[in-house]
Amino acid sequence: MLDVEQLSKRFGSRTAVDAISFGIGRGETVGLLGPNGAGKTTTIAMISGISKPDGGEVRLDGVSVVRDADALKRRVGLVPQDLALYEELSAWANLQLFGGLYGLGARQLRQRAEAALALVGLADRSGERVGSFSGGMKRRLNIAGALLHDPDLLLLDEPTVGVDPQSRNAIFDNLEELKRRGKTLLYTTHYMEEAERLCDRVLILDHGRILADDTVAGFKRQYLNLEAAFMRLTGRALRDGAGA
Amino acid sequence: MNTTAMRALIRNDLRLYLADRRAMIVGVLVPILIAGFFGYVFGGAGRSEGQGKIPVAVVDEDHSSVSRAIAADLTADPLLAVSALGRAAALDQVKSGKQNAAAVFPRGFGERTTRSLFTGTDKPQVVLLVDPSQVTAARVVEGLLAQYSMKEISKEAFTGSYGRKAIDRYLEQLEQLKPTPLRTDMRTLLLAARRLNDQSNAGVPADGKTHGFGLSIPYTVASTPVTARDNVPYNGYAHSVAGMAMQFILFAGIDAGVVLLLTRERGVWQRLRSAPLHRSEFMLARALATTLIGLFQVTVIYVAAIVLFKVRIDGSWPGFIAVVIALCLLNAGFGLMLATLGRNASTTRGLAMMATLLLVMIGGAWVPTFVFPRWLQEASRYVPTRWAVDGLDGATWRGLPFEAAVLPTVILIGSAAACLLVAIWRFRWEE
């Protein structure tokens, strides 16, 4: 479904992403693991059409992000690492904006917003200001904001960062539900247990290069567990290297 | 064009504006309060008793009929609020700003002025103590002093005892000169003046009226305010409301630019960029939202001005609306331009505030441009804010027709377009 070929990005003399290639099948959940500065967020930004690649190509069912970004964007939902919410407004008003950006009409928008809020467990809080929400609730609403246009591919950039374990579990439940519904997920995290629980495949990224691409079971066979694999491949612990 | 997305963006900007109740209230209440203050200072809705009188002290060290008469004339003048003080008290009050000026009539003033009227020599000196921050007021006092002095001194010369003495003394001096045609004419004139003086002092005429022969200005002035219609007094609030509305709309433009800069620094920016939204759609939506917010502000401010300060659109309503829309468009362009030129929110806000206050001052929003030096008046013609104030003044208290609003509207829209061009040129959409 998603094909990434020789994707590159430079910032001045620094190469953030160095000709990486990988593919994701429909309904597959892929984890992108890497320390801070490995190139995870830059890769997500190029796939979502935010950032133009300096080289290479991203295709979603053959649609190129370089040649037809709008068509690709309509099928991709992005959950940014920074909360993409207006805290001054209600949850409902936030979703109205995000749905409107994808051209949803009032009726369709209402249905999709209700469904998204129900999925993340915020249906009864839709009229409240986002500023009054807990960190976990904001993270869940952040995910809901990416679901309104019913994307085929969901890009999640550290969606559980900075939340308590209970909220993390709630978010995780939401993502598992999306997985059950057949959504394709590309997920960056520095929590090994999340990757082990959720991902079908894991890509380990460092210095802009993919160091390993295997299933969780494959990593376990070769390295005992994901953490050991990560330390062996990058030479450092994931938590030490990854920023919040 | 993705109009649904644009509508969503505009609606969101309006919601953000309305969500910040405190900022919204400040944005409409503060300009009304400041306009009320400036409007009152510059004349209010019609001049009231005591308003705008120049405080001036008179120090009469002469106590002659002449000095007393001049002091009485000054006291009766509607432009002045006269206090009779001693020299030391007058000096203190001018120094402390309680009096704009003080006129000191020295001892011997009446006699010497009457004499020097004929001889042109030995003129006494009237000291005018002046508050240097009130030069215009001091000039008004100087002018009125000259007017009333000429009247009372000439009256004294032709009808008073000092005059009689002065004529006699001058006649004695003439007798000692060689006979010339000029001396003969002067002697004839002085003898006639003496006869006039004698008759004036011979007693009260049968009609009971005493007749002075003082020289006075041989015309009267009817000062007529040229406003929208006859008998409509100038409303000082109309100008100040125009100025303050413009100033606070520009402040709202700064806020719009700063919000855009802050959005870039937040996760929302990534969500906007990941949506199928084009740069032109985004910028147009921002410009329209800022324009609508500006229109809301102007509407509230002018409704309050009409209700509270009796400001009227005495000119063309279409002209007024055209100028207001053009001003709000300029504001939208200004806000977007700031957002594209600034590096971060805090420094941009500081620099933009400074630039806005300069534009507003030069545009005549605080004080009318006619009080500026000539070069600054000319310079202000190159500032769009001056045209906004002129356009609003024209549509309100000046009562001008639609044609008068065309040039200000065109200049404001042209300036808005220039700001938008800079914004489009500089706006970084791609990462």
Side-chain angles (χ1 to χ4, degrees):
Chain A
M1 180 191 185
L2 178 73
D3 293 304
V4 174
E5 291 173 13
Q6 297 294 307
L7 196 63
S8 298
K9 184 74 182 179
R10 284 181 297 278
F11 295 107
S13 60
R14 190 176 71 83
T15 301
V17 176
D18 193 2
I20 62 170
S21 299
F22 62 91
I24 302 178
R26 191 175 305 278
E28 198 177 11
T29 297
V30 173
L32 200 55
L33 270 82
N36 200 22
K40 302 189 299 291
T41 299
T42 306
T43 302
I44 293 275
M46 286 191 284
I47 294 171
S48 64
I50 291 178
S51 182
K52 269 189 177 171
D54 292 325
E57 179 64 286
V58 175
R59 286 194 192 87
L60 187 67
D61 288 333
V63 176
S64 163
V65 73
V66 178
R67 269 170 277 164
D68 195 356
D70 280 2
L72 184 135
K73 283 176 173 183
R74 287 184 193 283
R75 296 182 57 195
V76 175
L78 173 68
V79 180
Q81 185 176 342
D82 295 328
L83 286 169
L85 301 167
Y86 286 103
E87 302 222 343
E88 309 90 321
L89 302 180
S90 68
W92 187 261
N94 270 278
L95 296 187
Q96 272 197 310
L97 168 66
F98 303 139
L101 293 176
Y102 289 88
L104 298 184
R107 195 171 175 182
Q108 197 178 23
L109 180 56
R110 191 181 311 117
Q111 288 170 352
R112 296 272 180 87
E114 283 170 357
L117 286 168
L119 176 80
V120 299
L122 292 172
D124 57 337
R125 311 291 292 269
S126 63
E128 294 178 27
R129 274 181 64 245
V130 174
S132 67
F133 285 7
S134 68
M137 289 162 73
K138 288 176 188 171
R139 284 281 159 198
R140 278 143 62 196
L141 185 62
N142 204 31
I143 293 171
L147 301 175
L148 296 162
H149 58 294
D150 194 22
D152 297 321
L153 172 65
L154 200 57
L155 306 172
L156 301 119
D157 194 4
E158 307 253 11
T160 60
V161 74
V163 300
D164 60 85
Q166 196 181 351
S167 296
R168 186 138 50 98
N169 278 333
I171 292 169
F172 217 60
D173 290 344
N174 299 155
L175 298 179
E176 284 184 322
E177 175 59 27
L178 288 168
K179 192 180 171 185
R180 268 195 295 280
R181 292 181 188 183
K183 297 291 178 194
T184 306
L185 309 181
L186 178 59
Y187 181 95
T188 76
T189 182
H190 59 262
Y191 293 108
M192 293 294 174
E193 65 274 21
E194 287 183 6
E196 288 182 1
R197 180 174 158 188
L198 188 72
C199 299
D200 304 311
R201 247 173 68 218
V202 171
L203 306 176
I204 294 178
L205 193 71
D206 197 12
H207 300 300
R209 291 183 180 175
I210 293 175
L211 303 180
D213 177 354
D214 205 344
T215 61
V216 173
F219 277 114
K220 281 182 175 174
R221 272 199 304 275
Q222 204 172 344
Y223 298 99
L224 187 65
N225 57 37
L226 260 182
E227 189 134 19
F230 191 86
M231 283 192 71
R232 184 78 168 271
L233 290 164
T234 65
R236 46 186 163 163
L238 184 57
R239 297 275 175 91
D240 294 342
Chain B
M1 185 160 280
N2 188 350
T3 53
T4 310
M6 286 175 62
R7 277 205 307 274
L9 285 167
I10 292 169
R11 185 175 53 212
N12 194 63
D13 278 354
L14 297 180
R15 275 183 171 151
L16 286 170
Y17 173 70
L18 295 172
D20 192 351
R21 293 280 162 81
R22 197 175 298 168
M24 188 182 71
I25 290 168
V26 166
V28 294
L29 191 62
V30 174
I32 292 166
L33 289 175
I34 297 177
F37 172 76
F38 275 114
Y40 178 76
V41 169
F42 286 105
R47 186 165 288 277
S48 61
E49 190 62 33
Q51 188 179 27
K53 284 195 171 190
I54 299 168
V56 59
V58 170
V59 180
D60 187 0
E61 295 177 343
D62 186 36
H63 302 293
S64 65
S65 56
V66 176
S67 61
R68 278 199 298 269
I70 294 171
D73 288 341
L74 291 171
T75 304
D77 194 287
L79 286 177
L80 305 178
V82 174
S83 306
L85 298 173
R87 186 188 281 253
L91 187 64
D92 280 350
Q93 291 203 8
V94 172
K95 196 181 282 182
S96 65
K98 289 177 184 164
Q99 306 289 344
N100 287 176
V104 183
F105 299 112
R107 194 180 298 278
F109 170 81
E111 188 170 1
R112 287 170 65 193
T113 49
T114 313
R115 196 163 60 229
S116 76
L117 186 70
F118 295 108
T119 62
T121 58
D122 189 28
K123 293 179 183 177
Q125 188 178 54
V126 175
V127 176
L128 192 63
L129 304 168
V130 173
D131 179 345
S133 69
Q134 302 290 342
V135 176
T136 307
R139 284 184 182 160
V140 172
V141 174
E142 206 173 327
L144 291 171
L145 189 61
Q147 176 189 328
Y148 293 130
S149 294
M150 277 309 294
K151 176 187 160 196
E152 299 301 341
I153 292 166
S154 60
K155 186 175 168 185
E156 176 66 28
F158 293 115
T159 63
S161 59
Y162 289 143
R164 176 62 196 258
K165 271 199 273 184
I167 292 167
D168 288 345
R169 190 168 169 187
Y170 197 29
L171 279 169
E172 281 170 21
Q173 287 174 357
L174 281 178
E175 295 302 333
Q176 290 165 15
L177 297 175
K178 285 182 182 174
T180 61
L182 179 62
R183 195 201 76 160
T184 308
D185 289 344
M186 279 301 293
R187 191 168 178 280
T188 307
L189 181 67
L190 288 169
L191 286 171
R194 188 163 70 182
R195 267 199 309 279
L196 192 64
N197 194 298
D198 289 344
Q199 285 168 13
S200 296
N201 290 298
V204 178
D207 60 5
K209 293 178 182 171
T210 54
H211 300 279
F213 295 93
L215 299 175
S216 62
I217 296 175
Y219 57 84
T220 58
V221 176
S223 181
T224 309
V226 182
T227 56
R229 294 187 305 277
D230 289 347
N231 302 320
V232 174
Y234 168 63
N235 186 332
Y237 294 112
H239 176 79
S240 60
V241 167
M244 286 305 118
M246 183 189 68
Q247 176 174 324
F248 278 80
I249 287 169
L250 289 176
F251 283 170
I254 294 174
D255 284 343
V258 168
V259 165
L260 181 52
L261 283 169
L262 287 172
T263 304
R264 292 190 82 107
E265 296 165 10
R266 295 160 74 174
V268 174
W269 183 249
Q270 287 176 290
R271 183 152 280 164
L272 292 170
R273 288 285 294 112
S274 68
L277 182 70
H278 292 189
R279 181 165 102 146
S280 56
E281 292 162 351
F282 177 75
M283 294 189 75
L284 193 55
R286 300 283 321 185
L288 288 172
T290 310
T291 302
L292 289 174
I293 289 168
L295 287 171
F296 169 76
Q297 271 186 294
V298 176
T299 305
V300 174
I301 290 168
Y302 266 93
V303 166
I306 287 166
V307 173
L308 298 175
F309 306 136
K310 298 183 175 64
V311 171
R312 297 285 177 265
I313 312 299
D314 284 316
S316 159
W317 265 101
F320 175 76
I321 292 167
V323 171
V324 165
I325 291 173
L327 172 60
C328 292
L329 284 171
L330 168 65
N331 179 52
F334 181 63
L336 275 175
M337 186 177 74
L338 288 176
T340 58
L341 295 177
R343 287 188 180 277
N344 60 58
S346 56
T347 53
T348 300
R349 186 188 289 277
L351 289 171
M353 288 291 261
M354 194 175 70
T356 302
L357 290 175
L358 270 173
L359 283 173
V360 164
M361 274 191 297
I362 296 171
W366 292 0
V367 289
T369 50
F370 66 77
V371 302
F372 292 173
R374 176 66 64 188
W375 69 268
L376 194 54
Q377 286 186 39
E378 281 303 311
S380 73
R381 299 181 71 80
Y382 297 94
V383 178
T385 45
R386 157 78 187 268
W387 292 94
V389 174
D390 281 0
L392 292 172
D393 277 353
T396 52
W397 65 271
R398 286 192 192 279
L400 299 179
F402 178 77
E403 292 72 40
V406 171
L407 185 59
T409 303
V410 168
I411 287 173
L412 290 171
I413 289 176
S415 304
C419 288
L420 276 171
L421 281 175
V422 173
I424 290 166
W425 170 50
R426 294 277 303 182
F427 190 67
R428 289 180 295 113
W429 181 243
E430 305 291 343
E431 297 291 325

